[in-house]
Amino acid sequence: GTAELTSVSGYKLNQYSDTYDLTYSFGSLTQGQFGVTGTPSPAKNKTDKFTQEVRLATPLGEHVDWLLGAFFTHESSQYSQGILAENPTTGAVVGDFYNVAFLPGYTEYAGFTNLTVHFTDQFDIELGARESQIRQSYSEVDSGPFLTAVLDEASPHIVPEHHTGANAFTYLVTPRFKVSPDLMIYARIASGYRPGGPNLTLSPGTPAEYSPDKTENYEIGLKAELLDGTLSIDSSLYYIDWKDIQLYLVNPQTGLGYNGNGSQAKSQGVELSVESKPVAGLTVAAWVTLSDAELTEAFPTISSAYGISGDSLPYSSRFSGNLALHQEFPVTDHVKGFVGGSVSYVGSREGEFTSSAARQGLPAFARTDLQAGAKYDAWTLNFFINNLGDKRGILTGGLGSYPPFAFSYIQPRTAGFSVVRTF
């Protein structure tokens, strides 16, 4: 009848591997232990994740829509990292300075429901609630001379499998008013939750676990289509109250990274998105964001990181924006061509919190992408050049990261093409 049942199943496998050169930090130690100064640090991770969601949507009379659902996810990871002793001239590995195997697991069960009450054709309110049960586990095995030389620990160091549990309740309330068929205003109050988790244990002063962080989110907005649908506007004002904010920190004694919690923070701002189709085939789209994301309470005095009220949150930009143009045109009766491009801008930011007031400054950058191609029936051929100016926009790194003199950049100038078949 009028009920609709939806099942969504997903499986994801994620793998990565990388290697850092830690000679600057541990070269003298590997030379003392193995007679060589090279200390590459290979790491790899594999995560398997399965998710299942079931939703039942049905009306309750003429003025109420009801959604009831359940969600399940399970993921397991296999993380390993080593520090090798290597002859820097020949590349020959002569010993293992450190090895760690870290095996975390995450399982979540959740039930949720939404009710949308239509008081009139113009006004409705959506109410939502979600309850989650979260189970986590982890185990760890560390070995090698690193434990004795740096951490004053016996090798091997074994952490048996450990289990933790938590529950989380979140909600939302969204009233909407349609001023006209082409103009709607809305408000939203909602809560957010991110679970905590385990850290590698062999790092003096590092907490074995970090706590969840929670948000209360407030938003008012407007959505409109004007000029016979040739102009659309989406704008919003938002304020987010953030408690126990999760942070990435680096232990200054060992150089090992870990997750911790700060105090309270806020994020507030305005977002505006506009799309225009002034003539046939041409689309002009732009968005801008003005934001203010900062601590509202200083870190505790016993914290390994320094932060006071008013300090900006890591990697938060005061201003960012994007301008894009896309033009389609007929080539033949069955082929359409297109050209387009976009310019995106990210403002200056500050990096991770450190043990002092000093933080890494990350300058603003802009990048330009171009594309051209053709569409035929269900086929699309697209040629592109991304980061046309080959800008070296800095994403992360520097002070508070590891190593503190390394940075991650946006992808350099990249040209290519793609062929897409839609079924």
Side-chain angles (χ1 to χ4, degrees):
T2 57
E4 182 178 281
L5 182 66
T6 305
S7 173
V8 182
S9 306
Y11 175 75
K12 182 178 182 180
L13 174 63
N14 180 277
Q15 299 183 80
Y16 76 84
S17 61
D18 58 25
T19 301
Y20 287 90
D21 182 359
L22 303 185
T23 301
Y24 81 98
S25 185
F26 300 118
S28 60
L29 296 177
T30 54
Q31 185 176 34
Q33 292 279 343
F34 299 96
V36 295
T37 59
T39 53
S41 179
K44 61 182 179 179
N45 183 77
K46 176 183 177 183
T47 299
D48 294 90
K49 182 175 182 178
F50 172 77
T51 61
Q52 176 63 51
E53 183 170 301
V54 178
R55 301 189 299 266
L56 176 67
T58 185
L60 300 178
E62 296 182 359
H63 302 290
V64 179
D65 295 326
W66 182 43
L67 176 70
L68 180 67
F71 173 82
F72 168 80
T73 185
H74 175 76
E75 61 183 79
S76 58
S77 298
Q78 302 175 31
Y79 175 80
S80 63
Q81 183 179 5
I83 300 177
L84 307 178
E86 179 185 81
N87 185 319
T89 302
T90 65
V93 175
V94 299
D96 291 335
F97 186 53
Y98 176 57
N99 282 292
V100 57
F102 188 56
L103 305 174
Y106 179 90
T107 302
E108 179 179 347
Y109 305 85
F112 57 90
T113 186
N114 281 29
L115 279 176
T116 303
V117 183
H118 302 270
F119 293 93
T120 69
D121 291 340
Q122 292 180 282
F123 179 65
D124 64 63
I125 295 180
E126 180 185 12
L127 306 171
R130 179 187 181 101
E131 174 69 23
S132 299
Q133 297 290 329
I134 298 165
R135 301 290 180 265
Q136 296 191 72
S137 65
Y138 69 92
S139 61
E140 179 183 348
V141 178
D142 304 80
S143 61
F146 174 88
L147 273 69
T148 304
V150 178
L151 304 177
D152 196 26
E153 291 276 353
S155 176
H157 175 83
I158 300 174
V159 179
E161 188 170 74
H162 179 66
H163 296 266
T164 61
N167 67 292
F169 176 79
T170 53
Y171 67 89
L172 67 85
V173 180
T174 307
R176 292 174 291 220
F177 181 70
K178 295 180 180 178
V179 181
S180 71
D182 299 322
L183 174 61
M184 181 187 74
I185 56 177
Y186 70 92
R188 171 169 289 183
I189 301 174
S191 62
Y193 176 92
R194 287 192 302 179
N199 284 308
L200 288 171
T201 60
L202 275 184
S203 192
T206 298
E209 301 175 1
Y210 58 99
S211 301
D213 57 357
K214 303 174 183 180
T215 62
E216 297 288 338
N217 314 301
Y218 308 90
E219 180 181 356
I220 58 174
L222 176 148
K223 298 177 184 289
E225 286 193 356
L226 308 172
L227 305 177
D228 296 324
T230 60
L231 176 65
S232 63
I233 300 174
D234 189 344
S235 62
S236 66
L237 293 166
Y238 67 90
Y239 178 86
I240 300 174
D241 184 19
W242 209 335
K243 292 181 175 61
D244 298 322
I245 180 172
Q246 292 179 4
L247 302 168
Y248 176 78
L249 303 170
V250 173
N251 188 308
Q253 298 182 48
T254 63
L256 299 178
Y258 67 97
N259 292 307
N261 293 89
S263 301
Q264 298 191 57
K266 69 175 182 180
S267 178
Q268 59 187 2
V270 57
E271 298 176 337
L272 174 65
S273 175
V274 179
E275 183 176 284
S276 175
K277 298 179 180 180
V279 296
L282 175 62
T283 301
V284 182
W287 61 260
V288 294
T289 298
L290 298 173
S291 66
D292 175 28
E294 61 185 34
L295 295 176
T296 56
E297 184 180 333
F299 292 163
T301 55
I302 60 173
S303 173
S304 62
Y306 176 88
I308 61 174
S309 179
D311 284 353
S312 63
L313 298 185
Y315 310 116
S316 61
S317 170
R318 296 278 184 178
F319 174 80
S320 59
N322 179 276
L323 174 65
L325 290 86
H326 184 86
Q327 176 69 59
E328 290 192 356
F329 51 88
V331 178
T332 68
D333 291 341
H334 302 288
V335 178
K336 284 186 177 181
F338 62 86
V339 295
S342 65
V343 178
S344 57
Y345 174 85
V346 176
S348 60
R349 295 136 291 137
E350 288 191 284
E352 304 286 355
F353 291 105
T354 69
S355 58
S356 69
R359 295 176 65 185
Q360 182 67 51
L362 305 175
F365 65 88
R367 91 175 222 181
T368 302
D369 300 336
L370 300 177
Q371 61 174 323
K375 297 179 180 180
Y376 173 73
D377 194 19
W379 293 89
T380 300
L381 174 64
N382 180 44
F383 295 92
F384 62 86
I385 301 178
N386 293 335
N387 193 4
L388 179 66
D390 202 24
K391 300 295 184 180
R392 293 294 190 264
I394 299 178
L395 295 174
T396 61
L399 297 176
S401 301
Y402 191 76
F405 50 76
F407 296 86
S408 295
Y409 293 86
I410 63 173
Q411 190 172 6
R413 183 190 297 120
T414 304
F417 71 92
S418 64
V419 179
V420 177
R421 171 69 161 86
T422 303
F423 298 92

